Amino acid sequence: METETEMLNTYFSNGAEVEISSDEDGFRGAWYEGIVVRPIQKKQRRNKDDDDDESSNKLRVLVEYKTLMADKKGKRPLKEAMTLVQLRPRPPPERRRKFKVSDEVDAYYNDGWWEGVVMEVSSDGKYSVFFRGTRDQLEFEESRIRIHREWANGEWTPPFGDEGEEKQKEEKLVSTETKPNNEAAEIFSEGSLVEVSSDEEGFEGAWFVATIVKLLDNGNYLIEYQTLRNNDDTAFLQEETDRLHIRPRPPDIGSFESFKVLEEVDALHNDGWWVGVISKVLKGQRYKVYFKVSNEELEFKHADIRLHLDWTNGKWVRASQV
């Protein structure tokens, strides 16, 4: 696992082209193109409880946006200081391709790349993309859409390359077998144990364990949470959810002796599993985890953290370990 300094020198040196995520309201969930101006490393006073590693430093990078401006006339590019967890290298160019319904994509909108899901493909070749964060559904040309990829531990998931090479690399990822649509539907039968996400304010970025109570005629699911109670605290909360907000429970891939800085994880907090990044390794198998959605950093013990996996096209995947 590369250290922060090694990541800085490899991917975020002066002049490097990057993509930047922001925690400000109205910008969350998007990646903006920019370049690295210079690193900013601020030393903090070390005390006897600090680990002897790079986590005692606050490493930030000054970046300049290519599409966001600091002035109303649009002549002065916006510059900001960002942590490494808010940056990733600019993805390499890839060949044009056709997309299908349920593909996870990034759509270029309002000067940035926003994560969404293809809901419809029109006869004229345009794609209708649904954005979970805003609950909007907009139409895009093929040229303004790309496959959604995650960057972690110095690698892209799914990896780049031709179809044969990509398939070979994907076989090395932690995953379950890809199932045909009719078999995948059986995963979400009545009584199945699942995890459910919500777009309500304050719950973004979390997955809660639930049981499917009933399959509804409109294609949605009536679920009952295992940890969330109703307003009267008389029973566990039940609500309707759609296929975009439900997934099987992640597989047990074994325990990890320790997690590393910048590793993507889920942390158990307020009755749910919240997606975050290890920002600091502490003594006694404890960690600080940074949550991009809420711009918070909280401390957790090892038992309350699990490796982050994504449920994509009927299988679980994660970036390979470096």
Side-chain angles (χ1 to χ4, degrees):
M1 180 70 183
E2 292 173 296
T3 65
E4 281 192 334
T5 300
E6 290 171 338
M7 296 281 284
L8 178 68
N9 294 335
T10 304
Y11 304 106
F12 307 119
S13 58
N14 295 2
E17 293 193 342
V18 294
E19 289 191 342
I20 309 155
S21 66
S22 175
D23 298 317
E24 294 186 18
D25 290 339
F27 294 89
R28 293 172 183 166
W31 288 91
Y32 296 90
E33 296 178 0
I35 60 171
V36 172
V37 178
R38 59 181 172 84
I40 304 172
Q41 192 164 5
K42 183 179 180 181
K43 292 281 186 179
Q44 285 191 328
R45 181 178 299 173
R46 183 187 298 275
N47 59 49
K48 62 181 181 180
D49 294 325
D50 285 336
D51 290 330
D52 188 19
D53 59 19
E54 291 183 328
S55 59
S56 61
N57 299 332
K58 292 295 183 180
L59 187 57
R60 290 179 174 269
V61 175
L62 182 65
V63 297
E64 180 179 286
Y65 291 89
K66 288 188 175 181
T67 57
L68 301 184
M69 299 296 159
D71 59 327
K72 294 182 178 180
K73 294 182 178 181
K75 295 183 178 181
R76 183 163 55 90
L78 177 64
K79 292 182 180 180
E80 286 187 319
M82 296 291 182
T83 62
L84 294 191
V85 295
Q86 295 174 284
L87 301 177
R88 67 184 189 185
R90 185 178 179 183
E94 54 184 304
R95 67 183 185 279
R96 293 280 292 275
R97 56 169 296 166
K98 300 295 182 181
F99 301 93
K100 60 182 184 298
V101 172
S102 81
D103 276 349
E104 293 192 4
V105 297
D106 296 333
Y108 194 77
Y109 178 69
N110 279 353
D111 301 320
W113 291 97
W114 298 76
E115 180 182 352
V117 178
V118 175
M119 301 298 293
E120 298 177 15
V121 181
S122 64
S123 58
D124 59 357
K126 293 183 178 180
Y127 299 90
S128 183
V129 178
F130 173 77
F131 302 97
R132 295 187 182 98
T134 60
R135 309 292 294 176
D136 290 329
Q137 187 164 322
L138 305 173
E139 195 172 77
F140 293 88
E141 300 281 352
E142 181 183 299
S143 60
R144 301 179 74 82
I145 298 178
R146 69 186 186 189
I147 286 292
H148 175 70
R149 302 178 193 270
E150 297 287 344
W151 190 82
N153 301 334
E155 294 190 359
W156 290 98
T157 304
F160 287 87
D162 58 42
E163 294 181 356
E165 180 184 358
E166 186 164 321
K167 182 178 180 181
Q168 183 180 15
K169 290 182 179 179
E170 285 182 351
E171 291 175 352
K172 298 179 182 179
L173 302 176
V174 175
S175 65
T176 60
E177 291 184 1
T178 303
K179 299 179 179 296
N181 291 336
N182 59 340
E183 293 184 24
E186 295 177 1
I187 299 175
F188 304 120
S189 58
E190 292 182 8
S192 296
L193 199 61
V194 295
E195 290 189 345
V196 180
S197 65
S198 174
D199 294 323
E200 291 186 23
E201 185 176 356
F203 292 90
E204 304 98 324
W207 289 90
F208 297 89
V209 179
T211 302
I212 295 180
V213 177
K214 184 179 180 180
L215 307 182
L216 303 178
D217 293 338
N218 60 3
N220 291 344
Y221 306 89
L222 177 65
I223 58 97
E224 180 178 281
Y225 292 99
Q226 290 199 343
T227 55
L228 302 182
R229 308 281 292 183
N230 60 20
N231 292 334
D232 299 328
D233 198 24
T234 57
F236 287 106
L237 177 65
Q238 290 190 358
E239 67 179 11
E240 180 178 337
T241 190
D242 58 33
R243 62 185 177 87
L244 296 174
H245 296 80
I246 192 171
R247 69 182 189 183
R249 292 214 65 188
D252 183 4
I253 60 175
S255 60
F256 286 74
E257 292 185 3
S258 63
F259 296 98
K260 310 295 183 183
V261 172
L262 297 184
E263 197 160 26
E264 195 169 17
V265 296
D266 298 333
L268 187 60
H269 179 62
N270 284 348
D271 300 319
W273 290 97
W274 300 75
V275 182
V277 175
I278 299 290
S279 57
K280 185 176 182 179
V281 179
L282 307 173
K283 291 182 178 180
Q285 283 201 311
R286 300 187 71 86
Y287 307 88
K288 282 193 175 181
V289 179
Y290 172 74
F291 302 97
K292 184 172 67 174
V293 172
S294 60
N295 193 26
E296 289 182 299
E297 187 179 48
L298 303 176
E299 185 176 317
F300 294 89
K301 57 185 179 181
H302 185 86
D304 291 333
I305 297 177
R306 69 185 185 189
L307 197 66
H308 176 71
L309 300 175
D310 286 307
W311 176 251
T312 304
N313 297 327
K315 64 181 179 181
W316 291 102
V317 298
R318 74 175 178 90
S320 301
Q321 290 292 320
V322 176

